Amino acid sequence: MNQQLIDLKNKLAPIADLIKDKNDVFYLDYPLHLNVGDLLIYHGTEQFFTDHHIHVALKRSEFDMDIEELKQKITPNTTILLHGGGNFGDLYPQHQNLRETIIRTFPNNRVIVLPQTLFYKSQETLEKSAALFMRHQDCHLLARDERTANAFKQFSPNVYLSPDMAHELYGTLPTKNTQTGQSLYFLRKDIEASDIEKNITAQLPAGSHIKDWDDILSGQDDFVLAVSWRLAKFAKRHNISWLKDLVHKYWKNYTLRIVQRVAKNFLSYDNITTTRLHGHIFSCLLEIPNVVCDNSYGKNTGYANLWTKTLDFVAFYTQHK
């Protein structure tokens, strides 16, 4: 095993020390959607619970989280964990709104925002959000890069640098051990895409393997997601806690198979060039040589420069003039 990747996994351990009672924990905003990067974070977080003997009493997604249910089940000692990722800010308002609702509603409970990258288009929105968070008495923010950590100081006095939760998966996944002669260009197609994707694509020969998460996912995945959404919303509307728990259990098992399927796909390539942060992190976990390119606001190189640049199978994309 790679010692540097073991060390990155070990850097997540201090998060467990922030939890007041490991038997009294809520985990909120788990990803009931098909962004595989978020699913890697999710399964890394679940692995973290297992590795650190953390019993989570309640797990809810954005679709079935109900404040009244939380109020009924929370205790003064409950630690609330909010899912990590790259959605802290105003690009994905539904997740930020969920976090802000928790901060407003439970001012006396410890709240931990798991490793995040912050980005706001609007300075005014940032300042309003920062003021709300700063009023909370016991909020702890984990930042995946230094730019985010510096910004988080406006939100809380309790700010820590931490690698992504997906690193907890190291040692549970297969690693690269065969050569295929194939290269993958794993490039964003969403709102975080930039001119880099166009520039890379323009220089590639015909027949090059260009993919994003959607190209690896299947129609069955979409169907399972649609059913899970419907059940989660039904359970929220009728306040059926056992059905919410069942949706989570099924989704966890189903998406673990997605992670394994994507790993198999990635391992069929000898090297991967990617503008997705979790294209890079997943390649590292699988020990596949990879080239890091940025997204639209510098998330990827900010992360790699802090955590992964010293791995001998990681390189940085340089633009050809």
Side-chain angles (χ1 to χ4, degrees):
M1 292 179 73
N2 184 291
Q3 187 58 48
Q4 287 172 278
L5 287 167
I6 294 171
D7 291 344
L8 276 175
K9 179 175 180 175
N10 290 338
K11 286 182 187 299
L12 295 171
I15 297 171
D17 297 331
L18 292 174
I19 296 172
K20 294 175 89 170
D21 180 348
K22 290 184 181 180
N23 293 308
D24 191 357
V25 177
F26 290 178
Y27 171 43
L28 304 179
D29 202 21
Y30 79 81
L32 191 58
H33 55 254
L34 285 173
N35 178 305
V36 182
D38 275 329
L39 297 180
L40 288 168
I41 296 170
Y42 168 43
H43 285 285
T45 305
E46 290 283 359
Q47 186 64 45
F48 183 84
F49 296 151
T50 299
D51 292 345
H52 293 273
H53 311 291
I54 296 163
H55 173 72
V56 182
L58 202 72
K59 299 176 182 180
R60 296 290 182 257
S61 72
E62 63 171 303
F63 300 102
D64 59 12
M65 193 191 88
D66 181 80
I67 287 296
E68 291 309 312
E69 180 192 26
L70 300 188
K71 285 179 178 177
Q72 289 168 15
K73 296 185 176 181
I74 204 163
T75 76
N77 220 30
T78 303
T79 299
I80 301 172
L81 302 179
L82 296 172
H83 180 72
N87 59 22
F88 197 106
D90 54 8
L91 278 185
Y92 305 94
Q94 70 274 27
H95 300 288
Q96 191 65 15
N97 290 342
L98 184 153
R99 280 187 283 269
E100 293 184 2
T101 298
I102 294 300
I103 289 293
R104 268 193 299 267
T105 310
F106 302 106
N108 300 314
N109 283 86
R110 175 160 293 186
V111 177
I112 301 171
V113 176
L114 294 170
Q116 275 279 355
T117 303
L118 171 148
F119 181 75
Y120 282 86
K121 293 178 291 183
S122 164
Q123 180 65 23
E124 182 184 0
T125 306
L126 184 154
E127 289 170 4
K128 285 181 180 176
S129 186
L132 172 66
F133 271 79
M134 193 57 90
R135 286 195 291 273
H136 195 281
Q137 298 301 304
D138 197 6
C139 180
H140 298 255
L141 303 174
L142 292 133
R144 298 190 301 190
D145 58 62
E146 289 173 330
R147 181 189 61 79
T148 297
N150 289 331
F152 270 165
K153 290 172 185 174
Q154 302 170 67
F155 290 73
S156 170
N158 310 305
V159 176
Y160 318 85
L161 279 168
S162 174
D164 188 87
M165 294 303 294
H167 286 283
E168 193 72 25
L169 291 172
Y170 186 64
T172 70
L173 298 164
T175 53
K176 184 71 177 171
N177 59 12
T178 57
Q179 298 296 305
T180 63
Q182 298 285 340
S183 298
L184 173 63
Y185 295 86
F186 199 71
L187 308 177
R188 301 192 79 109
K189 299 176 182 175
D190 64 359
I191 59 173
E192 292 182 45
S194 67
D195 288 340
I196 292 174
E197 283 86 359
K198 296 174 191 169
N199 295 337
I200 293 172
T201 304
Q203 295 168 24
L204 295 178
S208 295
H209 292 236
I210 305 170
K211 296 180 181 179
D212 199 359
W213 296 128
D214 289 350
D215 301 302
I216 301 177
L217 297 169
S218 68
Q220 178 179 312
D221 299 333
D222 292 332
F223 175 78
V224 169
L225 175 63
V227 172
S228 299
W229 271 350
R230 186 164 294 185
L231 287 171
K233 291 174 181 177
F234 179 87
K236 178 178 179 178
R237 189 161 58 247
H238 297 283
N239 195 26
I240 309 172
S241 292
W242 67 263
L243 182 55
K244 296 179 184 181
D245 296 339
L246 188 65
V247 169
H248 173 267
K249 185 176 180 180
Y250 180 77
W251 184 248
K252 177 184 173 184
N253 292 334
Y254 185 82
T255 54
L256 183 58
R257 296 199 295 275
I258 291 179
V259 169
Q260 292 164 345
R261 188 199 319 154
V262 177
K264 187 176 179 181
N265 190 291
F266 270 39
L267 286 165
S268 69
Y269 295 96
D270 292 347
N271 52 76
I272 296 172
T273 299
T274 184
T275 57
R276 279 208 175 266
L277 179 59
H278 282 87
H280 164 61
I281 291 174
F282 205 20
S283 298
C284 291
L285 293 174
L286 302 172
E287 299 185 29
I288 302 170
N290 64 95
V291 178
V292 188
C293 318
D294 247 325
N295 71 327
S296 59
Y297 60 89
K299 174 170 70 176
N300 303 347
T301 55
Y303 186 87
N305 274 314
L306 188 58
W307 305 112
T308 54
K309 70 177 181 181
T310 58
L311 291 164
D312 58 13
F313 44 79
V314 171
F316 286 80
Y317 173 73
T318 52
Q319 182 129 359
H320 298 294
K321 301 292 185 185

